[in-house]
Amino acid sequence: MESLLQSLLGDNLLTLVLYCALPLVFLLLYALLAILGEVKISAFMQDRLGPMRTGPWGIIQPLADVLKLLQKEDITPKDADKFLFNLAPYLSFMAAYAAFAVIPFSSQYVGADLNLGAFYLLAIGSLNVAAIMMAGWASHNKYSLYGAMRSVAQIVSYEVPAAMMLVIVVLFVGSLNFQDIITAQSGPFWNWMVFGGPKADVELASGEILGASWINLIFLPLFLASFVMYYITGLAETNRTPFDIPEAESELVSGYHTEYSGMKFAMFFMSEYANMFLVSAVTAILFFGGWNSPFGVYLGDMFDAQWLVALEQFGWLVFKGLFFVFVIIWLRWTLPRLRVDQLMYMCWKVLIPFSFGIALIVGFLVVVLK
Amino acid sequence: MNTKDMFDHLAALFPDLELQLDEDVPCIIVPPDAIREVGLQLRDDEQLLLDSLMCLSGVDFADGTLGVVYHLHSMLHNHKLTVKVVVPVENPHVQTVERVWRTADWHEREAYDLIGVIFDGHRDLRRILNPYDWEGHPLRKDYEVPEFYNGMKVPY
Amino acid sequence: MSQTLEALQEDIAAGRLKTDELVLNMGPQHPSTHGVLRLELVLDGEAVVKVIPHLGYLHRCFEKHAEAMTYPQVIPYTDRMDYLAAMNNNHGYALAIERLMGIELPERVEYIRVIMAELQRIASHLVAIGTFGMDIGAFTPFLYCFRDREYILDIFERTCGARLLYNYMWVGGLSHDVHDGFEKDVRDFIKRFRPTIKEVNDLLNYNKIFIERTANIGVLPVDVAVSYGCSGPMLRGSGVDFDLRRDDPYSIYDRFDWQVCVGKGEAGTVGDCWDRHMVRVWEMEQSCNIIEQALETFPPGDITEAIPKRIRPPKGEIYTRVENPRGELGYYVISDGSANPFRVKARGPSFVNLSVIDEISRGHLIADIVAILGSIDIVLGEIDR
């Protein structure tokens, strides 16, 4: 992808900026789609129509929402810490966006092909906590502060099991690079991690060979469990129902972004949606083959068109990601909300012991089978 | 216990008090400084067990007296009793029954707020429906609506 | 700074480190205070030390107004007290004046009143159940409940032209006879409505998270409930088998076969939020039973024959209570023989039920306060009057 841009525009700064901005374009389009999805799916579930006036079937509604947010008065509370208050939403979105650097959208495009991709993802994910804490503290509002405190407690706690799930896959593949993790699952869908990983030797993106055979089926229950647990953790990290405790509308009004309006609120909103896709995409990458086609073949290969393969791969990843986003939305309109102590119980007494247990077993099996 | 039996029982229990017998609900009239004692007796007497205060209303009788009317009910025996306290408007002090029936807590605050009966011994006798800095007691028959409240015009 | 928790606690005890309680104003503008209630929460972290309710933001001087109106003119004001159960409010007031005047009602009026009151009870409980679910964080059941409530409001609209504030039950009769096809409408509604109860049960009431959130929360013991004068689903949720429709009979409720639902502590302790909530769910089914039986023997007749030409009750006073969806709604009416009531005091069930909140919410978390408040099912119009 970078080489394509280079050939078109030459090797200069513009190329680099464009290259970095590609996920942003995708994110903006995705956010519009997700907002529409949220209102339409909830409407469908709740026996109503949802927005119907703006455009046919209301499809321009998200654009109208964005325009409304742009026009809204930008209010900063009198007693707020102005600098932090204004910084927080941008930091929050920046943290969400920065994580996209290591998400491989296809075998051809990844923002930064880091060998420490998984590690980077965990590190940058924690940055969001700082933004939320900033927003909560700087708003000078007790509800915001409560929301921020809850959020920090929640995200920091759920980082631990999330990291363990990543470690499980990393242990198996033997690489922190996401492209490696995805190529390890290449071929038809039964090679996906959630079905026990590759069933024959594969060559990783880095060139190493990952030895594998049908015996890997014994990993199936382990990876299936860790997929479910990772997804639950993801829900908690994105503050979505049933873990939307920091925002808990009926208790804390809106939690840490109670005092925000207009574009700054939109930034938080964007970062929440970006995080939703991030979690979904990482779930797809870790357990569902990332950009791999579930059939193991690409249309592009038949026509010998590399660009079509890349596009297909992008399509598959987005499709898988959107599917998990859909499930997040589905859960949101179905489940009630947990209480803060139940949330902590879930994390420290259920997820963490189980994730450590699985990591231990996976590590042991990997060593034995090698 | 039917109404007649209850009436007789009350007459035996409170020989000093004035009793009335309406069609279905007996009524006793209690002096304002005895209502707490009487209330405790009514609540704890084995045969009466009037453990639930349905309603406590303040009334301005417009003849220079204010009244507090207690409507009692027994959950177990399913019978009712009305208790009345009458106080002069110049000295509207009544003993509180807030610790006899907890219902009375807010109802006494309401009676204080709207009628101006002062309940001696109430732990938290603040206004409840009107703003805390409202002046006067609106349900008094001689109440006149103030022109202004905190600079806002009141009659609209 | 390598302080352990013990060291910190020691510092606090010795006064070297100062801790303080946090006062949080919940309301008057807050999504789950169900109106303009202000709760002053004294908090220790997330735990609640004390709840101080501040009322009166919606005070519209019902009692003062009533003294300046003639008897029938008060009825629209009763609508506006508990605006979610206006029919029941009308019913209680009309009943008080009728008893004061000694009016005997025609059969048909009694039947229509019971059917309307029970439909209104279902409508009101639907709001209570839906909003309680929303307080816990489940949004979808709320809309299912409101969808079915619309059907009831449609029936009301066809009969008396109003959807929320009806002014329907007059002293001695009703403002209109029911519309043509009323019986079919109500039968259709009940047929359509019964599956919704199951739907809400599946989606919300027996949801694991919902039970976790509501069971053992805000337990209201029987003695506290009686002492605070709690009534309706609050009282029955605590396991007290007491319903004014049966125990202090009025209208024609004694002719029908129905059960009083009480909390049994299925999910946790008797008298917790879940029990109070479920009593409402079960009561909706009982209301359906009452309506079905009433429709079977629905008599014809003239609904206006008992309406007095001149409403001037004789000198006297009366305290009448009816079972509102929220509990015991009492009217204490004093008549001095004139055309205006001398004093009307309304004893609202929400007003009394709310007073217990401090008692049952101490030691719980903020999230539980929302659950407790939702399970009390308050209507601010009636609390503030």
Side-chain angles (χ1 to χ4, degrees):
Chain A
M1 196 71 187
E2 196 171 10
S3 55
L4 180 73
L5 281 173
Q6 275 166 352
S7 64
L8 285 173
L9 299 165
D11 193 5
N12 55 26
L13 195 66
L14 182 71
T15 316
L16 213 61
V17 169
L18 270 180
Y19 189 70
C20 297
L22 277 174
L24 188 63
V25 176
F26 165 74
L27 260 186
L28 291 172
L29 290 174
Y30 147 79
L32 294 181
L33 188 71
I35 295 169
L36 185 70
E38 183 104 51
V39 293
K40 281 296 179 187
I41 293 166
S42 67
F44 175 71
M45 289 178 64
Q46 292 162 354
D47 228 355
R48 55 192 179 89
L49 291 171
M52 292 298 278
R53 299 293 175 88
T54 35
W57 205 61
I59 50 170
I60 315 180
Q61 186 63 39
L63 265 180
D65 283 348
V66 171
L67 278 177
K68 178 201 74 180
L69 282 174
L70 277 172
Q71 292 172 46
K72 268 190 152 179
E73 189 189 352
D74 185 26
I75 300 167
T76 309
K78 193 169 123 267
D79 292 331
D81 183 330
K82 303 232 164 27
F83 177 69
L84 291 182
F85 185 84
N86 290 324
L87 178 65
Y90 301 102
L91 189 68
S92 171
F93 182 69
M94 196 202 82
Y97 186 56
F100 276 86
V102 288
I103 299 298
F105 281 93
S106 79
S107 54
Q108 308 296 314
Y109 180 84
V110 52
D113 194 7
L114 291 180
N115 278 333
L116 288 172
F119 206 60
Y120 169 82
L121 189 79
L122 287 175
I124 211 80
S126 316
L127 199 59
N128 206 8
V129 176
I132 288 172
M133 191 66 219
M134 254 183 218
W137 180 257
S139 293
H140 200 265
N141 176 321
K142 287 169 187 168
Y143 287 108
S144 301
L145 187 60
Y146 265 108
M149 293 305 291
R150 284 178 177 195
S151 193
V152 170
Q154 174 176 336
I155 296 181
V156 167
S157 308
Y158 275 83
E159 289 274 290
V160 181
M164 286 315 291
M165 296 320 154
L166 265 169
V167 163
I168 288 166
V169 176
V170 166
L171 266 178
F172 182 84
V173 178
S175 166
L176 283 161
N177 188 326
F178 277 132
Q179 289 289 32
D180 281 349
I181 291 173
I182 294 171
T183 41
Q185 309 174 59
S186 55
F189 63 87
W190 55 78
N191 288 339
W192 291 353
M193 285 299 172
V194 72
F195 300 116
K199 305 298 183 296
D201 293 0
V202 282
E203 189 190 346
L204 299 181
S206 53
E208 283 175 42
I209 305 286
L210 178 67
S213 65
W214 278 96
I215 208 146
N216 277 349
L217 268 180
I218 56 168
F219 287 106
L220 193 146
L222 296 170
F223 282 139
L224 200 63
S226 38
F227 152 63
V228 173
M229 280 154 69
Y230 182 78
Y231 199 60
I232 293 172
T233 341
L235 288 177
E237 285 204 59
T238 47
N239 299 337
R240 293 289 291 197
T241 311
F243 307 108
D244 59 341
I245 292 158
E247 285 160 38
E249 200 212 329
S250 57
E251 296 150 32
L252 297 184
V253 192
S254 295
Y256 57 88
H257 56 65
T258 304
E259 296 285 358
Y260 284 89
S261 69
M263 258 337 265
K264 280 185 263 173
F265 169 74
M267 280 309 208
F268 275 121
F269 201 68
M270 273 290 289
S271 91
E272 183 187 324
Y273 274 84
N275 269 327
M276 262 163 71
F277 186 78
L278 185 72
V279 163
S280 304
V282 173
T283 309
I285 288 166
L286 291 180
F287 299 103
F288 286 86
W291 40 254
N292 277 312
S293 154
F295 313 111
V297 288
Y298 299 98
L299 274 177
D301 281 336
M302 287 181 220
F303 303 117
D304 207 19
Q306 272 308 303
W307 60 270
L308 189 59
V309 174
L311 214 62
E312 272 180 75
Q313 289 172 338
F314 173 74
W316 281 117
L317 181 83
V318 171
F319 173 76
K320 288 169 188 171
L322 288 184
F323 175 76
F324 288 116
V325 170
F326 164 71
V327 177
I328 291 179
I329 293 173
W330 181 8
L331 287 175
R332 162 153 185 204
W333 298 108
T334 308
L335 294 176
R337 182 186 309 120
L338 284 170
R339 205 171 49 213
V340 80
D341 57 323
Q342 290 160 350
L343 176 96
M344 288 298 156
Y345 178 91
M346 173 101 177
C347 178
W348 292 102
K349 298 205 170 163
V350 181
L351 290 176
I352 290 182
F354 273 98
S355 62
F356 271 96
I358 293 177
L360 218 79
I361 299 170
V362 168
F364 176 75
L365 283 176
V366 165
V367 171
V368 168
L369 293 178
K370 288 249 162 79
Chain B
M1 194 156 39
N2 66 32
T3 316
K4 189 76 191 71
D5 289 346
M6 192 169 160
F7 189 75
D8 296 340
H9 184 70
L10 285 167
L13 205 59
F14 307 111
D16 308 338
L17 300 181
E18 186 185 334
L19 273 75
Q20 294 172 355
L21 185 58
D22 284 353
E23 282 165 41
D24 48 351
V25 182
C27 172
I28 55 176
I29 297 182
V30 180
D33 54 352
I35 181 65
R36 196 177 129 78
E37 271 308 305
V38 173
L40 278 172
Q41 266 178 294
L42 292 174
R43 188 189 70 182
D44 297 332
D45 184 82
E46 285 289 314
Q47 290 187 325
L48 292 171
L49 273 181
L50 293 155
D51 50 1
S52 144
L53 175 65
M54 297 187 286
C55 187
L56 184 156
S57 335
V59 185
D60 181 359
F61 289 115
D63 58 356
T65 55
L66 302 179
V68 182
V69 185
Y70 306 78
H71 291 94
L72 303 173
H73 173 249
S74 165
M75 297 297 277
L76 187 69
H77 302 308
N78 208 5
H79 55 219
K80 295 181 205 164
L81 174 70
T82 308
V83 178
K84 280 186 188 171
V85 174
V86 178
V87 285
V89 73
E90 308 85 46
N91 184 28
H93 286 269
V94 179
Q95 262 188 357
T96 180
V97 291
E98 172 224 353
R99 269 160 279 185
V100 184
W101 300 282
R102 295 291 292 131
T103 326
D105 185 352
W106 282 20
H107 277 98
E108 284 182 353
R109 281 176 64 187
E110 190 191 322
Y112 160 72
D113 187 2
L114 300 178
I115 300 281
V117 183
I118 295 163
F119 292 92
D120 294 330
H122 193 291
R123 285 173 289 188
D124 186 25
L125 196 65
R126 288 175 292 145
R127 285 182 182 274
I128 186 162
L129 294 179
N130 286 319
Y132 295 126
D133 56 353
W134 191 263
E135 280 169 21
H137 302 284
L139 277 186
R140 290 261 181 104
K141 293 287 177 187
D142 58 356
Y143 177 74
E144 277 180 22
V145 182
E147 282 288 298
F148 290 97
Y149 164 69
N150 283 348
M152 290 175 278
K153 205 168 177 317
V154 175
Y156 54 90
Chain C
M1 285 285 280
S2 62
Q3 273 174 319
T4 58
L5 188 65
E6 285 78 30
L8 276 172
Q9 278 164 348
E10 216 169 84
D11 280 355
I12 293 167
R16 286 191 293 273
L17 189 68
K18 200 168 170 297
T19 64
D20 210 349
E21 284 159 347
L22 181 73
V23 177
L24 184 72
N25 270 308
M26 196 183 246
Q29 278 93 31
H30 188 278
S32 53
T33 51
H34 298 245
V36 280
L37 172 67
R38 177 156 73 96
L39 294 178
E40 191 181 327
L41 305 181
V42 183
L43 301 167
D44 178 9
E46 283 242 6
V48 175
V49 179
K50 196 168 164 54
V51 183
I52 308 163
H54 295 270
L55 320 176
Y57 288 90
L58 202 60
H59 182 48
R60 290 146 306 163
C61 324
F62 165 71
E63 289 163 19
K64 187 78 183 164
H65 272 304
E67 288 175 16
M69 302 284 158
T70 61
Y71 284 94
Q73 280 175 338
V74 176
I75 295 175
Y77 285 92
T78 64
D79 277 333
R80 283 148 183 81
M81 286 206 317
D82 185 347
Y83 41 77
L84 291 179
M87 285 285 184
N88 304 69
N89 288 19
N90 289 175
H91 197 179
Y93 178 77
L95 203 68
I97 309 302
E98 282 153 13
R99 284 192 183 161
L100 209 51
M101 298 176 72
I103 298 174
E104 280 293 315
L105 290 177
E107 280 281 280
R108 188 174 171 85
V109 172
E110 293 283 23
Y111 270 86
I112 296 175
R113 279 190 180 183
V114 164
I115 294 171
M116 289 300 187
E118 291 310 306
L119 282 174
Q120 182 76 84
R121 190 181 313 278
I122 295 174
S124 170
H125 280 348
L126 280 172
V127 177
I129 289 162
T131 49
F132 185 51
M134 209 156 73
D135 290 340
I136 304 296
F139 198 84
T140 302
F142 168 76
L143 282 150
Y144 288 178
C145 290
F146 265 61
R147 177 194 62 200
D148 282 23
R149 178 169 173 264
E150 286 298 300
Y151 299 141
I152 299 178
L153 300 189
D154 286 345
I155 293 173
F156 288 162
E157 190 183 6
R158 265 171 240 143
T159 283
C160 65
R163 292 175 67 82
L164 195 66
L165 308 166
Y166 313 104
N167 186 16
Y168 183 61
M169 298 182 189
W170 285 0
V171 177
L174 304 162
S175 70
H176 306 74
D177 201 345
V178 291
H179 62 274
D180 296 336
F182 171 77
E183 291 170 58
K184 186 180 170 300
D185 281 353
V186 176
R187 284 216 172 88
D188 283 354
F189 163 72
I190 290 189
K191 209 168 119 199
R192 215 166 2 180
F193 172 64
R194 282 189 192 267
T196 304
I197 301 178
K198 192 185 170 301
E199 204 173 44
V200 173
N201 271 340
D202 289 347
L203 191 60
L204 184 70
N205 302 337
Y206 289 95
N207 182 310
K208 176 82 175 128
I209 297 177
F210 182 76
I211 291 177
E212 287 281 316
R213 279 295 308 277
T214 53
N216 297 323
I217 300 299
V219 177
L220 176 66
V222 176
D223 54 334
V224 176
V226 172
S227 174
Y228 271 91
C230 297
S231 50
M234 261 316 247
L235 185 64
R236 290 193 283 279
S238 294
V240 183
D241 189 3
F242 184 80
D243 191 314
L244 293 175
R245 287 173 288 173
R246 189 196 61 198
D247 297 312
D248 192 1
Y250 61 96
S251 202
I252 49 164
Y253 281 106
D254 46 358
R255 297 189 196 172
F256 306 118
D257 174 32
W258 57 282
Q259 256 100 49
V260 175
C261 311
V262 291
K264 297 191 266 293
E266 241 176 85
T269 323
V270 178
D272 56 13
C273 289
W274 194 82
D275 273 349
R276 288 198 277 278
H277 176 75
M278 286 313 283
V279 165
R280 293 196 181 95
V281 176
W282 296 325
E283 267 185 17
M284 292 199 301
E285 288 200 58
Q286 297 301 330
S287 292
C288 286
N289 291 343
I290 295 177
I291 295 169
E292 277 175 339
Q293 290 170 40
L295 283 177
E296 269 162 32
T297 49
F298 195 46
D302 181 14
I303 56 128
T304 53
E305 65 185 22
I307 298 181
K309 289 276 170 300
R310 199 162 140 271
I311 300 178
R312 269 175 190 249
K315 219 166 166 191
E317 57 173 70
I318 193 157
Y319 178 77
T320 309
R321 50 186 192 160
V322 294
E323 184 77 24
N324 211 33
R326 277 157 202 82
E328 171 185 335
L329 172 71
Y331 285 100
Y332 177 50
V333 183
I334 305 179
S335 163
D336 59 353
S338 69
N340 294 4
F342 183 77
R343 172 89 166 93
V344 176
K345 152 96 188 181
R347 180 255 199 231
S350 310
F351 179 77
V352 181
N353 288 350
L354 181 66
S355 64
V356 81
I357 190 168
D358 182 37
E359 193 89 15
I360 59 176
S361 52
R362 283 185 193 176
H364 285 306
L365 304 178
I366 300 178
D368 298 330
I369 298 298
V370 173
I372 291 169
L373 196 64
S375 74
I376 294 176
D377 182 23
I378 51 169
V379 167
L380 264 294
E382 180 189 78
I383 292 175
D384 294 342
R385 294 195 291 284

